[in-house]
Amino acid sequence: MREHGGRLLRAARQYNIPVSEWLDLSTGVNPDNWPAPAIPARAWHRLPEDDDGLVEAARRYYGAPHVLPVAGSQAAIQCLPRLRPRSRVGVLAPGYAEHAHAWEQAGHAVDRVSAEPLLESQAQFDVIVLIHPNNPGGETFGRPALLRLRDALHARGGWLVVDEAFMDATPEASVCANSGDGLIVLRSVGKFFGLAGARAGFVCAAPDLLKSLRDVLGPWTLSGPTRHVAQAAFADVAWQAAARAQLCQRSARLAALLRLHGLAPTAGTAYFQWCRDARAAHLHDALARRGILVRLFDAPSSLRFGLPLNDADYERLGHALGEELR
Amino acid sequence: MREHGGRLLRAARQYNIPVSEWLDLSTGVNPDNWPAPAIPARAWHRLPEDDDGLVEAARRYYGAPHVLPVAGSQAAIQCLPRLRPRSRVGVLAPGYAEHAHAWEQAGHAVDRVSAEPLLESQAQFDVIVLIHPNNPGGETFGRPALLRLRDALHARGGWLVVDEAFMDATPEASVCANSGDGLIVLRSVGKFFGLAGARAGFVCAAPDLLKSLRDVLGPWTLSGPTRHVAQAAFADVAWQAAARAQLCQRSARLAALLRLHGLAPTAGTAYFQWCRDARAAHLHDALARRGILVRLFDAPSSLRFGLPLNDADYERLGHALGEELR
């Protein structure tokens, strides 16, 4: 199992600080979550049914012709490699490590390549996996370039897989509408809606590929309450518009705060800021001693800061950075 | 995809009867569900964490030395066959069809065998899969026989897989306490607690097998709200004791009602009664026209009746049977 964010309970034990006292900036999840409504007893009681309207709501929200609900995009990441014979796979790196791991586990030949050389060497691969925008490096790609890449891969029976887990704040850059033969797009409900506990994601792809994926994943991959909440969240267009603006504002404020303390972000998205810094491991520990959890990467030595929620959180982070970095 | 119970929405459209007007007896789920509490926002908002106490609660409830939470026992059913090289697999039949299907999909040689010949021919198999008590046939097995079978299979590197999805009303017959090398037990939260929408199940097995299963299934297979609800349900010992008694009473009352109308059950468990009858398809349709959904099996021609909840439901079923079978 790769290391993941969100290990707050472990940090609480390690640093002997109660969970409730932490400022957890270790995830890329929107800190201002969509307010999940009360769950009707029926959603707990009955087997989930495929034709409850969730798929139509997701198609509208993502603007995708065909979608399959999955238990978080993680489920699709683990399953997709099983749907191809042994292939040459180029995966954007550094990036969410589960992609390369899953393709390797399924027996494919995997190269981890940074953005520019990956696109330049596309002819060497049957499958290319991009995270867009990338996590933690924030790389983005233009739609024409992505569609050309899709065309080239598709012409030789290949796939372009685009993980758009952090795309909801910038829907204009999504290629969901183009998903289909040769282009598979993964979306995550957890990050934008702040519902990481719901374990809901969607795969946008050609119908025959979705059918194969569904056959492998089996029935009832989402719980009834999660289906209820996701469908309601997709319908709340006003909240979505406000959340997009707020994510961008919070992220810009975070970047400014980091710069103020001499920790200028290397890159960022609407969900996090990323700082390459030789002192990353030391600073991670120093912040944790103050009950502030951020995400540490070893290679390259760097920290990812998730978004503080409110003024008090920004002040607490700023104070800690001021003490540790002065 | 095999046919499953719980297709109420489809029946509602087919028979043009609103969902709210149906008496749905098509599932084997406890109709008197454990009352799920309100979900703390934190459970929706944060990634689920493995060390939240759920595993310890499940170990106590099942009396098993080692357990792994899975997204319904269905997830384990689909995954287990991938953890063995090609094997000769004997699956109890008729029974929950997903078992045989999953082993076949993974490339194993599968024989579907009824209970007595399956145990007699055990030497022919590397893996034997039992559903205990069986669905829909209600077959049960003594613990000494199961442990002898486990010993014989384990001695040649084989597995005994026991699906105890319908075991919670009769915990004294469970072999969870014996799970470990050579014995894998599957449990379902949904049926006993009436939480089919939660998608929660547990695998009781040896630690190394659970680790392999976890590696294939990946992290966060249960949603945060489901983890919260399942842990609370395991702690509600008073409700569990009352539910065991009520399931047995409801099932006995259902059997008596069916007998009264000349439809003597062939077999049953605390969760359902099963009637082999040449008129099954006709009766299934006739009941559906009256807004009563039961489960139809083609081979052998039979109906499975889930438990009515209250007096009104019993009377409605009795009235319909009286009209159709007189």
Side-chain angles (χ1 to χ4, degrees), chain A residues 1-2 4-10 13 19 24 26-27 29-33 36-37 39 41-52 71 74 78 82 96 98 105 190 193-199 211 214-226 229, chain B residues 1-2 4-10 13 19 24 26-27 29-33 36-37 39 41-52 71 74 78 82 96 98 101 105 190 193-199 214-226 229:
Chain A
M1 201 61 57
R2 270 62 43 224
H4 290 108
R7 290 306 197 101
L8 181 59
L9 294 185
R10 197 175 56 186
R13 279 193 296 270
V19 166
D24 183 7
S26 70
T27 79
V29 172
N30 184 350
D32 198 6
N33 55 302
I39 301 303
R42 174 187 176 80
W44 286 113
H45 185 34
R46 297 187 54 81
L47 274 176
E49 308 215 37
D50 285 339
D51 46 1
D52 59 0
Q74 176 70 26
Q78 294 187 211
R82 294 175 52 199
Y96 187 58
E98 292 286 337
Q105 284 292 101
F193 291 99
L195 298 170
R199 310 312 306 137
K211 185 180 178 310
R214 191 199 145 90
D215 285 347
V216 175
L217 290 171
W220 316 308
T221 55
L222 267 62
S223 74
T226 287
V229 164
Chain B
M1 202 60 58
R2 268 64 43 226
H4 290 107
R7 291 305 197 101
L8 181 60
L9 295 184
R10 197 175 57 186
R13 279 192 296 270
V19 165
D24 182 8
S26 70
T27 79
V29 172
N30 184 350
D32 197 6
N33 56 302
I39 301 304
R42 173 186 177 79
W44 286 114
H45 185 35
R46 296 188 54 81
L47 274 176
E49 308 215 37
D50 285 339
D51 46 2
D52 59 0
Q74 177 69 26
Q78 294 187 210
R82 294 175 52 198
Y96 187 57
E98 292 286 337
H101 178 77
Q105 285 291 102
F193 291 98
L195 298 170
R199 310 312 306 138
R214 191 200 145 89
D215 284 347
V216 174
L217 291 170
W220 315 306
T221 54
L222 267 63
S223 74
T226 287
V229 164

